[in-house]
């Protein structure tokens, strides 16, 4: 009998098994099981095994695991996608997380396999996970077209899920022009122009990314208010606009790079113009939300910050009236205004 003090350790057991569940999701996604089951009604394990070209007993176990995890439904007729799998796990859905799942399997999993070394050495474990050191995370991703496509799809999926909450966290209707620095596929930009029809948005990202954006554009929509500009935000001139946006950019970089970037934005930003930062804002104790805290374990040179840390950082570069909106979604929003040189 367990003593009162020692409750049944369900959280610990769940954590111990968590890696198996993640990997089952990753492998089912890699094999495109959710694509095969889409619009098919129910299929039995043999049909799925034939379609994905894998063993019957392995496929059956994988499908049962997915059913146990609530990703598939299992009936006497066979296996079918849950609504959630249809929406988020098929590779071509509007809100597909497929790219992020594949990125998690191919890049984050090998890094986290080396977490013990990462903690001991305090550094990202690219050399152990992939056999090479990385100077610039992104340029590394963009060397291979396939990895780039998965990374961009991963960014796109999260941006899509969060764009509306980020775009509406504050009333941005006073701004006529915006530049989403590191705006990747333009998912947030497209949401912004839908919500603020008078806003023109420029997406500024590395040439390798801009060259690959057409695949991600909403079909059948007039995309004129969104323009794409290629450049390096550490080296090149930034477009002059009323509103600069940094979504999931600051947490990736070490202090000296942040210094370069925020100094440049601050210099080009006219008094009264603003900067919108979209990040997961940590609580002041820096233990919540867990997803952001765990993301830090990838040991990029950057870090996640609390609300007061963002305020302090932005004020250091001449921004004032820093407002923070916790959205309840994956990304929160921080808005601040460039003060005039004299204030
Ligand atoms: N803003 C997007 C979002 O929230 O989904 C993408 C975030 S992603 C973590 C960081 C983005 O910054 C990538 O699209 C990357 O290509 C871009 N980036 C990285 N280094 C850059 C640089 N030196 N100049 C311009 N963009 C850069």
């Amino acid at each position: 009998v367990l003593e009162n003090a020692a409750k049944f350790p369900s959280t610990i057991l769940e954590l111990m098994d968590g890696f198996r569940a993640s990997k089952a999701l990753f492998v089912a996604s890699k094999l495109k099981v959710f694509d095969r089951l889409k619009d098919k009604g129910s299929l039995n394990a043999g049909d799925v095994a034939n379609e994905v070209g894998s063993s019957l007993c392995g496929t059956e176990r994988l499908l049962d695991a997915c059913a146990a995890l609530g990703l598939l439904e299992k009936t006497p007729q066979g296996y079918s996608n849950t609504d959630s799998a249809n929406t988020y796990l098929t590779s071509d859905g509007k809100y597909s997380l497929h790219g992020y799942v594949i990125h998690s399997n191919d890049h984050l999993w090998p890094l986290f396999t080396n977490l013990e070394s990462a903690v001991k050495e305090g550094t990202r474990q690219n050399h152990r996970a992939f056999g090479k050191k990385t100077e610039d995370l992104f340029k590394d991703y963009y060397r291979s077209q396939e990895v780039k496509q998965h990374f961009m799809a991963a960014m796109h999926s999260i941006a899509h899920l969060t764009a509306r909450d980020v775009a509406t966290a504050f009333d941005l209707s006073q701004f006529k022009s915006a530049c989403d620095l590191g705006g990747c596929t333009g998912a947030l930009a497209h949401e912004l122009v839908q919500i603020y029809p008078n806003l023109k948005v420029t997406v500024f990202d590395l040439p390798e990314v801009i060259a690959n954006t057409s695949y991600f554009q909403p079909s059948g929509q007039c995309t004129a208010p969104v323009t794409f500009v290629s450049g390096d935000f550490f080296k090149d001139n930034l477009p002059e606009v009323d509103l600069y946006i940094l979504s999931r950019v600051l947490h990736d970089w070490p202090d000296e790079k942040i210094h370069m970037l925020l100094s440049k934005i601050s210099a080009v930003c006219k008094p009264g113009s603003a900067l919108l930062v979209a990040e997961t804002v940590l609580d002041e104790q820096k233990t919540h939300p867990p997803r952001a805290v765990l993301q830090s374990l990838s040991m990029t040179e950057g870090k996640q910050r609390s609300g007061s840390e963002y305020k302090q950082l932005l004020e250091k570069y001449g921004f004032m009236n820093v407002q923070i909106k916790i959205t309840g979604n994956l990304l929160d929003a921080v808005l601040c205004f460039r003060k005039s040189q004299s204030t």
Side-chain angles (χ1 to χ4, degrees):
V1 176
L2 291 168
E3 307 252 334
N4 275 351
K7 290 205 193 102
F8 190 74
S10 18
T11 307
I12 294 172
L13 292 173
E14 251 171 54
L15 292 175
M16 228 160 62
D17 283 343
F19 78 98
R20 295 179 217 255
S22 299
K23 198 65 179 174
L25 166 64
F26 296 169
V27 171
S29 298
K30 274 239 150 186
L31 296 176
K32 297 211 167 169
V33 165
F34 306 105
D35 282 351
R36 314 277 174 181
L37 287 172
K38 193 180 176 191
D39 303 327
K40 291 272 174 54
S42 292
L43 291 185
N44 64 37
D47 295 334
V48 179
N50 279 341
E51 288 219 23
V52 303
S54 49
S55 72
L56 175 59
C57 75
T59 306
E60 199 160 30
R61 289 180 193 202
L62 180 66
L63 294 174
D64 281 343
C66 289
L69 294 170
L71 304 173
L72 295 178
E73 268 154 27
K74 183 181 183 186
T75 63
Q77 286 73 47
Y79 301 87
S80 57
N81 280 348
T82 57
D83 288 346
S84 172
N86 269 333
T87 307
Y88 296 113
L89 295 177
T90 53
S91 60
D92 59 353
K94 188 173 171 205
Y95 292 101
S96 174
L97 290 170
H98 180 79
Y100 207 99
V101 174
I102 300 301
H103 176 71
S104 302
N105 182 68
D106 293 355
H107 280 268
L108 304 180
W109 181 273
L111 285 173
F112 273 76
T113 301
N114 291 288
L115 181 59
E116 188 178 334
S117 307
V119 170
K120 283 185 179 158
E121 295 163 18
T123 55
R124 190 172 170 87
Q125 295 295 303
N126 259 61
H127 52 300
R128 288 204 169 82
F130 306 112
K132 54 184 183 216
K133 271 228 173 275
T134 182
E135 293 308 318
D136 180 320
L137 190 63
F138 297 98
K139 291 185 179 151
D140 206 49
Y141 286 155
Y142 300 157
R143 248 170 233 136
S144 136
Q145 179 67 22
E146 195 194 350
V147 175
K148 176 170 76 176
Q149 186 75 15
H150 284 147
F151 178 74
M152 288 180 69
M155 294 304 104
H156 189 73
S157 59
I158 299 294
H160 217 122
L161 271 183
T162 52
R164 181 151 287 258
D165 284 335
V166 169
T168 57
F170 300 100
D171 179 4
L172 304 175
S173 54
Q174 63 187 292
F175 302 109
K176 299 282 171 280
S177 56
C179 177
D180 189 0
L181 295 163
C184 205
T185 65
L188 176 58
H190 281 291
E191 193 70 38
L192 283 163
V193 299
Q194 296 268 316
I195 297 169
Y196 306 103
N198 295 325
L199 185 66
K200 295 203 167 11
V201 185
T202 304
V203 174
F204 183 100
D205 210 302
L206 293 167
E208 301 91 315
V209 169
I210 297 298
N212 216 41
T213 50
S214 56
Y215 172 82
F216 297 97
Q217 301 316 299
S219 55
Q221 272 185 28
C222 170
T223 54
V226 175
T227 46
F228 290 84
V229 169
S230 62
D232 182 328
F233 53 43
F234 295 120
K235 296 187 184 143
D236 297 321
N237 288 336
L238 306 181
E240 283 188 26
V241 291
D242 306 336
L243 175 68
Y244 291 89
I245 300 170
L246 289 172
S247 170
R248 290 197 289 169
V249 168
L250 291 180
H251 74 249
D252 277 327
W253 300 103
D255 290 350
E256 64 276 15
K257 291 280 187 153
I258 293 212
H259 173 72
M260 283 168 75
L261 183 55
L262 289 181
S263 304
K264 280 186 81 170
I265 298 173
S266 183
V268 74
C269 210
K270 295 196 179 64
S273 297
L275 170 62
L276 178 71
V277 172
E279 292 281 357
T280 310
V281 175
L282 295 178
D283 68 356
E284 290 305 318
Q285 237 190 321
K286 298 210 247 180
T287 54
H288 192 83
R291 192 169 184 279
V293 181
L294 290 171
Q295 199 175 341
S296 289
L297 285 174
S298 300
M299 303 284 172
T300 59
E301 291 172 291
K303 62 180 179 202
Q304 309 284 338
R305 292 176 170 80
S306 67
S308 62
E309 285 175 324
Y310 277 116
K311 186 167 184 295
Q312 206 179 16
L313 179 70
L314 295 165
E315 284 175 350
K316 192 169 141 197
Y317 290 93
F319 292 95
M320 61 178 189
N321 193 9
V322 181
Q323 302 159 57
I324 297 171
K325 179 86 185 269
I326 304 296
T327 65
N329 198 322
L330 293 175
L331 289 184
D332 304 308
V334 182
L335 182 68
C336 54
F337 291 82
R338 181 74 176 98
K339 64 181 173 195
S340 62
Q341 310 299 349
S342 54
T343 48

